[in-house]
Amino acid sequence: MPIYEYECKACGHRLEKLQKLGAAVLTDCPACTAAALSRLVSAAGFRLAGEGWYETDFKSGGKKNLAGDGGSDKTGGKDETAA
């Protein structure tokens, strides 16, 4: 369920409300009881938690830790055929 932000045009009170997508838009301000609430447009919020989620998710085969490899060349850039 998304969190919607509202602002009262009468008193300026702002609030956030967790609502279902199909829920009716709030109209009554809880601070001044005026029917002057309007829904605000805001950026979607999300939190990145933990370490390495981007390195291990959606990878297949041997591509599990791309950031720690130093590139796709596993020899470290050395030519193994040279003596």
Side-chain angles (χ1 to χ4, degrees), residues 23-69:
V25 177
L26 299 179
T27 56
D28 297 334
C29 177
C32 70
T33 65
L37 277 183
S38 63
R39 190 183 287 177
L40 301 175
V41 177
S42 60
F46 67 97
R47 187 179 78 199
L48 301 177
E51 295 182 17
W53 65 270
Y54 51 89
E55 291 181 2
T56 57
D57 289 352
F58 308 112
K59 298 283 190 280
S60 62
K63 299 179 179 181
K64 293 292 183 192
N65 190 3
L66 298 178
D69 287 346

Side-chain angles (χ1 to χ4, degrees), residues 66-78:
L66 298 178
D69 287 346
S72 60
D73 184 12
K74 299 218 184 278
T75 62
K78 296 178 184 175

